[in-house]
Amino acid sequence: MATKLIGLAGSLRKRSLNHALLRAAAELAPEGVEIDIRTLHGIPVYDGDLEEAEGLPDAVVKLKDAVAAADGLLIASPEYNGSLPGTLKNGIDWMTRGGDASRVFGGLPVGLMGVTPGRLATAVAQSHWLQVFMRLSTAPYFGSMMQLGGGSKLFDDDLKLADDATRDRVARYVEGFAAFAAQNRRG
Ligand code: FNR
């Protein structure tokens, strides 16, 4: 049985390093592991009045259903001002709405990756993400860490992960996370 993961980057930029990291993860995933990369495009800023008038935006409904049907969620998140980026937090917040947050997030295996051009490698953002994913009763993966500093030098002009040592790290991380997700597959 294939292991199906949803990949979500915390950046909307076309040349996002975190999106590129997700693409590398999908490329390096072992046989039998599929990473379906989604984006946050089309998700408005959360507004309770909009929700009351129109319900959940289509982009949110689609993302929720995709995550609910997946074996795990693989996040690639930048760090903004010593914390997590609001863009992705906004998407996750929307996804908890509709009265079925436990269908989407309950017991969900979550892997956290991150890349930054700076040196601190998104460690603080990831610790803040853990607070959020703990609140949502997910199953975070602690088997290894995937925090990359000096990110601008790791990718080539086409944003392909070019550094061999980092490619090995990413491959090992995806293999470990996918095995964890398969072991913790939800009924
Ligand atoms: C940043 N950046 C950043 N980097 C970091 O390592 N620690 C930080 O606290 C911050 N803070 C921060 C705030 C804001 C508002 C922006 C826009 C950027 C730099 C950030 O890591 C860099 O822009 C990444 O390239 C963003 O990720 P993507 O878009 O390349 O995936």
Side-chain angles (χ1 to χ4, degrees):
M1 184 192 241
T3 302
K4 297 188 179 193
L5 307 175
I6 297 294
L8 200 53
S11 173
L12 296 167
R13 277 188 335 123
K14 284 197 193 77
R15 291 190 60 79
S16 159
L17 296 177
N18 285 279
H19 226 280
L21 178 58
L22 270 185
R23 287 197 299 274
E27 180 204 335
L28 295 166
E31 212 175 307
V33 175
E34 294 165 17
I35 303 181
D36 176 3
I37 299 176
R38 303 292 176 113
T39 80
L40 298 163
H41 288 97
I43 299 183
V45 173
Y46 178 75
D47 175 346
D49 291 337
L50 175 71
E51 180 186 23
E52 202 175 311
E54 298 176 20
L56 300 194
D58 281 351
V60 174
V61 172
K62 285 192 181 123
L63 199 48
K64 281 177 63 174
D65 287 345
V67 170
D71 296 314
L73 176 63
L74 183 58
I75 299 273
S77 173
E79 180 168 300
Y80 281 180
N81 296 311
S83 186
L84 48 81
T87 332
L88 179 53
K89 178 65 162 52
N90 178 65
I92 298 288
D93 287 342
W94 264 117
M95 289 167 72
T96 64
R97 304 299 294 166
D100 58 352
S102 64
R103 174 182 75 98
V104 179
F105 290 105
L108 174 72
V110 175
L112 288 171
M113 306 193 296
V115 54
T116 170
R119 283 186 308 146
L120 292 180
T122 74
V124 181
Q126 290 195 4
S127 76
H128 293 185
W129 274 120
L130 283 178
Q131 299 294 313
V132 175
F133 287 117
M134 182 175 74
R135 175 61 69 95
L136 297 178
S137 300
T138 65
Y141 173 61
F142 294 120
S144 64
M145 298 212 269
M146 182 44 59
Q147 302 162 348
L148 299 175
S152 316
K153 296 193 183 105
L154 301 175
F155 295 84
D156 66 18
D157 289 347
D158 296 325
L159 290 177
K160 190 177 156 70
L161 185 58
D163 181 73
D164 284 340
T166 309
R167 287 177 70 82
D168 285 349
R169 263 185 79 186
V170 172
R172 281 200 308 275
Y173 182 85
V174 175
E175 188 178 15
F177 174 57
F180 172 81
Q183 274 159 19
N184 292 280
R185 195 171 261 129
R186 301 183 289 180

